[in-house]
Amino acid sequence: MLDYIIVGQGIAGSLLAYELLQANKKVLVLNDESLPSSSQVAGGMFNPVTGRHLAKTWLADELFPFLKTYYPEIEQRFNAKFFHQTGLFRPYVNEKQRTQFQNAILKHEIAHYVSDAKDFEKMGQFIANDLGGLQTADAGWVDVPELLKTLKSHFIASESYANEAFNYDELKVKPENVIYKSYEAKSIIFCEGFHAKNNPFFNWLPFNPVKGETLLVESPDYAVTEIVNQGSWVIPLAERKCRFGATYSWHDLDFEITEKARATLQEKIGKFFKSDYRIISQQAGVRPSTTDRRPFLGKHPEYINIYIFNGLGTKGVSIAPFFARQFRDFLLQGKEINSETTIERFYTLY
Ligand SMILES: Cc1cc2nc3c(=O)[nH]c(=O)nc-3n(C[C@H](O)[C@H](O)[C@H](O)COP(=O)(O)OP(=O)(O)OC[C@H]3O[C@@H](n4cnc5c(N)ncnc54)[C@H](O)[C@@H]3O)c2cc1C
């Protein structure tokens, strides 16, 4: 008998399955590769200080040291490359913002993450930055599709993966185990991202999904190695390509690319990006965000062997490693889940 069936191989299901396999559990990941997934289109950025008011990312002091060793360890183990701690440069928009940000840098809680950029002139040929900008050394990006490809190979080698659509009607829940088609497991964990809306066990949770679109571009002359972010961002990729992102829409929650998003990104990025570029492709996805902007982790209120790991929202790359480990410790050792993330906070909605 299996220990766990995991539904979904986005970043949530992948890291949780990895953690459980590491603990010698028998795991089967069921993933429908024909479904669009948020992880496959994510920019993959991690950034400890964000927004107009330079807010420190929730739990940054725990999440960032953790992810900075977590991803490189997986890279090393599988001889892969997907973790890029490039740093991030945020050109000041105007004098007012420069003063505001320079004052904010002095604040104790963000002081060791951000600084006033020293050698910004070197980027002047590519990025409009007459006033300088803010530097975040701890920021970077994870090539999420590459990470998932690496882990999928590991799951296949461990006989722990099937490309298969999960049909909720065929799940039989017993007090001791769950039975799904020919598979029998002690428990099942749902990690379907936005598609959790179709899950009859968890569709009562207050998701607040956000559609997002990005552009993949080719820019032969662009030679900046850091991420540049001024509301919209540019991530430098290999072979003179870049990713431009991202839009946010709480309407039209589908996976269709739109002219509107393309125009919005080109307009916003055109304000600071000076090099020529050609659009290669456009991507759309839906972020599994939640109303209180905290993840959904935990056990179903009624069935003791049904769990969820979801709600990673806009920050899956930063949140998933720390909470996959915490969730593993909850499952295997009964340790507590962070009270802001357990779905017990919404049991009254069930
Ligand atoms: C445009 C855009 C840009 C983003 N940029 C960033 C960023 O820069 N940094 C960051 O941290 N985050 C970013 N995100 C958010 C990030 O993508 C998510 O936080 C994260 O990928 C969610 O992962 P997940 O595993 O929960 O869901 P998903 O990645 O959606 O994975 C769910 C998986 O479940 C499978 N599945 C669903 N239902 C079934 C079923 N019935 N049967 C079988 N399989 C099923 C799907 O096929 C899929 O593989 C971005 C998102 C978007 C859309």
Side-chain angles (χ1 to χ4, degrees):
M1 182 164 43
L2 294 162
D3 290 304
Y4 296 99
I5 294 173
I6 292 183
V7 180
Q9 201 236 326
I11 196 167
S14 296
L15 296 192
L16 189 56
Y18 179 66
E19 287 294 313
L20 292 168
L21 283 172
Q22 287 287 91
N24 294 320
K25 293 293 153 189
K26 282 181 85 174
V27 176
L28 176 67
V29 178
L30 296 178
N31 184 56
D32 182 354
E33 293 178 14
S34 70
L35 282 178
S37 108
S38 187
S39 300
Q40 292 296 345
V41 303
M45 267 195 309
F46 52 92
N47 183 7
V49 179
T50 61
R52 258 178 287 169
H53 302 289
L54 293 189
K56 187 156 80 167
T57 296
W58 172 66
L59 291 184
D61 297 340
E62 278 92 11
L63 303 183
F64 280 76
F66 194 83
L67 74 83
K68 276 165 63 180
T69 56
Y70 192 89
Y71 290 118
E73 272 170 24
I74 300 181
E75 281 187 326
Q76 213 174 0
R77 174 168 175 196
F78 299 108
N79 196 20
K81 182 70 195 153
F82 46 77
F83 183 73
H84 305 275
Q85 190 175 330
T86 53
L88 182 144
F89 177 69
R90 217 174 141 173
Y92 299 130
V93 179
N94 51 37
E95 287 286 359
K96 189 173 160 218
Q97 191 190 57
R98 175 161 74 164
T99 309
Q100 184 200 339
F101 280 14
Q102 284 177 340
N103 288 335
I105 289 170
L106 305 173
K107 269 187 6 199
H108 176 66
E109 58 168 12
I110 60 167
H112 64 285
Y113 288 117
V114 286
S115 58
D116 196 30
K118 293 282 172 283
D119 52 354
F120 58 90
E121 289 92 351
K122 71 180 187 331
M123 286 185 220
Q125 183 187 345
F126 311 108
I127 295 291
N129 66 352
D130 295 349
L131 300 170
L134 193 78
Q135 196 77 40
T136 314
D138 271 342
W141 66 285
V142 168
D143 184 339
V144 182
E146 191 60 31
L147 163 69
L148 300 193
K149 196 174 96 188
T150 303
L151 289 178
K152 180 180 151 184
S153 300
H154 170 53
F155 301 152
I156 291 171
S158 317
E159 297 184 353
S160 295
Y161 184 85
N163 174 10
E164 188 175 321
F166 184 86
N167 178 357
Y168 304 94
D169 295 336
E170 293 189 58
L171 181 69
K172 295 191 186 72
V173 188
K174 312 243 164 148
E176 293 300 309
N177 60 3
V178 294
I179 297 170
Y180 179 70
K181 296 184 177 170
S182 59
Y183 310 120
E184 201 176 339
K186 289 184 191 150
S187 302
I188 185 164
I189 309 169
F190 289 106
C191 309
E192 313 108 306
F194 169 66
H195 302 285
K197 69 179 189 341
N198 305 319
N199 183 329
F201 298 100
F202 289 111
N203 59 7
W204 48 274
L205 282 167
F207 282 94
N208 184 23
V210 190
K211 181 174 175 179
E213 296 187 52
T214 60
L215 299 174
L216 180 66
V217 311
E218 187 178 50
S219 180
D221 301 329
Y222 187 67
V224 174
T225 54
E226 289 158 289
I227 297 170
V228 179
N229 185 350
Q230 201 179 69
S232 295
W233 41 255
V234 175
I235 301 177
L237 310 173
E239 297 165 349
R240 302 283 164 170
K241 295 196 182 91
C242 298
R243 193 172 297 288
F244 289 180
T247 58
Y248 291 81
S249 166
W250 286 261
H251 313 287
D252 305 320
L253 298 173
D254 56 34
F255 297 85
E256 303 300 320
I257 57 170
T258 63
E259 274 297 326
K260 190 176 165 208
R262 188 188 182 108
T264 303
L265 288 173
Q266 288 194 269
E267 196 218 317
K268 285 184 160 187
I269 286 168
K271 288 190 180 146
F272 63 87
F273 192 86
K274 289 162 73 173
S275 301
D276 292 334
Y277 67 88
R278 174 180 77 83
I279 296 174
I280 300 170
S281 61
Q282 186 171 349
Q283 294 77 32
V286 183
R287 305 168 181 93
S289 300
T290 68
T291 50
D292 65 359
R293 305 222 246 135
R294 298 290 176 261
F296 290 155
L297 272 69
K299 191 191 288 183
H300 191 275
E302 189 177 341
Y303 303 105
I304 58 163
N305 39 22
I306 301 188
Y307 298 87
I308 187 167
F309 182 34
N310 203 323
L312 300 182
T314 58
K315 296 194 170 156
V317 164
S318 312
I319 292 175
F322 183 85
F323 282 105
R325 176 69 52 82
Q326 190 169 98
F327 202 45
R328 180 200 74 179
D329 292 345
F330 161 75
L331 292 168
L332 304 186
Q333 299 167 28
K335 288 195 182 165
E336 275 194 19
I337 305 177
N338 177 306
S339 60
E340 287 185 79
T341 68
T342 170
I343 59 166
E344 285 178 27
R345 70 196 191 276
F346 293 118
Y347 274 4
T348 52
L349 300 179
Y350 179 66

